């Protein structure tokens, strides 16, 4: 796959896939977007305890790493379950400037260990952070009430429409425990209605800088 490394407006890198005419993050700021959508509106919805997370699209590992950082100063235990059918080459992920910008260079080994993690095996990265990576597509999954939180970080509907249909969101609602939430940067009306049809209570929340809104679905 042809991929270009580009710098977004907050100085953090993202990747661009010319064939899909799509980027891994918002051009307004990759770190800014991930922190807002997944950490502030997702993870911080839960104040303490054990949180089991499903990420749809591991990609650069930015969300997984930001989630790990939250464990360094909070009373949370994370079990992180990441899906990635099209892993990025290490030649690409080693160029990303996230750790420098987050002033987290001392955790370089941890970032690397997520990228190098063997597939389908749970590894205990730190006492508070357990990690598993699966090389499969979300369409192939069949989870039942396993997660508190889903980071739904697929490519946008115009680039990958098949990731935003009723059948996948039915799987996502089943995968969540009652009271669990799904967060996504996408705020399209069609996506919101699809989520409502499969049983999510959907909230429109303020989006990250440069985007008006985002969505959070709650499983009643
Ligand atoms: C918008 S990128 C976001 C990646 C990542 N969360 C990040 O911050 O870098 C979308 C990701 O979804 C992955 N993906 C594509 N099709 C998928 C599928 N059917 N199931 C799960 N993930 C998929 C892509 O390979 C890509 O890594």
């Amino acid at each position: 796959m042809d991929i270009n490394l580009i710098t977004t407006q907050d100085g953090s890198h993202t990747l661009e896939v010319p064939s899909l005419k799509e980027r891994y993050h918002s051009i307004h700021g990759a770190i800014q977007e991930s922190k807002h959508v997944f950490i502030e509106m997702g993870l911080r919805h839960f104040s303490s305890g054990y949180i089991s997370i499903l990420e749809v699209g591991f990609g650069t590992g930015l969300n997984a790493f930001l989630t790990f950082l939250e464990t360094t100063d909070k009373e949370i235990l994370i079990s992180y379950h990441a899906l990635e059918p099209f892993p990025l080459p290490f030649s690409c992920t080693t160029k990303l400037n996230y750790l420098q910008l987050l002033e987290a260079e001392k955790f370089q080994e941890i970032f690397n260990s997520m990228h190098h993690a063997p597939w389908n095996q749970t590894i205990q990265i730190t006492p508070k952070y357990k990690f598993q990576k699966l090389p499969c597509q979300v369409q192939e999954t069949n989870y039942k009430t396993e997660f508190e939180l889903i980071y739904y970080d697929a490519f946008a509907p115009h680039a990958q429409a098949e990731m935003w249909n009723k059948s996948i969101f039915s799987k996502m609602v089943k995968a969540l425990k009652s009271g669990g939430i799904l967060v996504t940067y996408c705020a399209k009306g069609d996506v919101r209605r699809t989520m409502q049809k499969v049983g999510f209570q959907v909230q429109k929340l303020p989006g990250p800088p440069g985007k008006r809104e985002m969505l959070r679905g709650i499983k009643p």
Side-chain angles (χ1 to χ4, degrees), residues 97-113:
N97 64 0
Y98 300 143
L99 277 68
Q100 293 91 297
L101 292 184
L102 292 163
E103 297 181 6
E105 290 100 328
K106 64 178 176 194
F107 297 124
Q108 186 69 55
E109 284 281 303
I110 288 186
F111 185 68
N112 295 349
S113 66

Side-chain angles (χ1 to χ4, degrees), residues 1 14-15 22-25 34 38 55-63 83-88 98 136-139 153-156 160 162-163 168 185:
M1 185 165 56
T14 192
L15 301 167
E22 185 61 347
R23 288 180 295 263
Y24 276 58
H25 305 97
S34 288
F38 301 105
E55 176 174 34
V56 178
F58 174 72
T60 60
L62 176 57
N63 296 333
L83 305 180
E84 184 51 77
F86 310 109
L88 290 165
Y98 300 143
C136 69
Q137 308 212 25
V138 65
Q139 291 89 332
D153 201 9
F155 288 123
Q160 225 188 349
E162 71 277 14
M163 294 293 286
I168 294 190
Y185 64 87

Side-chain angles (χ1 to χ4, degrees), residues 149-179:
L149 176 57
I150 297 177
Y151 294 163
Y152 203 81
D153 201 9
F155 288 123
H158 66 87
Q160 225 188 349
E162 71 277 14
M163 294 293 286
W164 303 89
N165 62 30
K166 210 170 149 191
S167 137
I168 294 190
F169 282 112
S170 293
K171 284 182 184 286
M172 296 297 95
V173 88
K174 281 198 194 103
L176 285 171
K177 296 179 189 170
S178 176

Side-chain angles (χ1 to χ4, degrees), residues 140-159:
E140 301 160 33
T141 62
N142 216 355
Y143 299 112
K144 295 231 161 55
T145 53
E146 289 184 41
F147 304 102
E148 272 80 22
L149 176 57
I150 297 177
Y151 294 163
Y152 203 81
D153 201 9
F155 288 123
H158 66 87

